[in-house]
């Protein structure tokens, strides 16, 4: 069973200040929370304006949770086998998938991050493998890539 959105406790240090008031939008808070939880960030095809694709990966032994941030129509998240030799950015099969697909209503990046961050651990919930929807993962040229992990202090 998926966790409820209320179960997502954002313990994010707020560091933006505007007019004497502290400000952080929900997208920023969710990205910061993913970093705090240990997601490793991959920036695909970066240029002077930033990456074309930003993908986060959290490994749970033989399973990985992945979020691919591209734009409002291509952003998606999934749980896939992620052991040695598995390419988590080109999965053929997934345990769970959430995002926009043909014929579905637009799902925002915030909703996709919420869904991913409220998933139970693979020990608690791991549905059977199904074929990954078309377009899952990072398509096209995947180089150059920059990899970074946010340092978190508790």
């Amino acid at each position: 069973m998926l966790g409820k959105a209320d179960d997502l406790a954002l313990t994010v240090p707020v560091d933006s200040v505007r007019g004497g008031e502290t400000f952080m939008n929900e997208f920023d808070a969710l990205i910061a929370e993913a970093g705090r939880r240990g997601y490793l960030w991959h920036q695909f095809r970066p240029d002077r304006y930033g990456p074309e694709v930003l993908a986060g990966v959290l490994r749970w032994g033989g399973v990985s949770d992945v979020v691919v941030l591209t734009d409002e129509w291509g952003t998606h998240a999934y749980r896939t086998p992620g052991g040695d030799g598995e390419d988590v950015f080109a999965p053929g099969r997934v345990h769970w998938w959430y995002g926009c697909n043909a014929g579905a209503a637009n799902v925002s990046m915030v909703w996709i991050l919420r869904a991913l961050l409220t998933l139970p651990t693979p020990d608690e919930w791991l549905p059977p493998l199904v074929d990954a929807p078309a377009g899952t993962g990072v398509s096209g040229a995947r180089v150059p890539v920059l990899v970074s992990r946010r340092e978190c202090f508790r």
Side-chain angles (χ1 to χ4, degrees), residues 25 39 48 65 68 113 118 123 140 144:
N25 67 30
Y39 277 76
R48 66 182 188 179
D65 288 345
V68 178
L113 286 164
T118 56
D123 292 339

Side-chain angles (χ1 to χ4, degrees), residues 33-48:
E33 178 65 16
R36 187 190 70 73
R37 292 185 185 188
Y39 277 76
L40 182 63
W41 294 101
H42 302 256
Q43 299 177 43
F44 294 96
R45 300 181 292 276
D47 60 18
R48 66 182 188 179

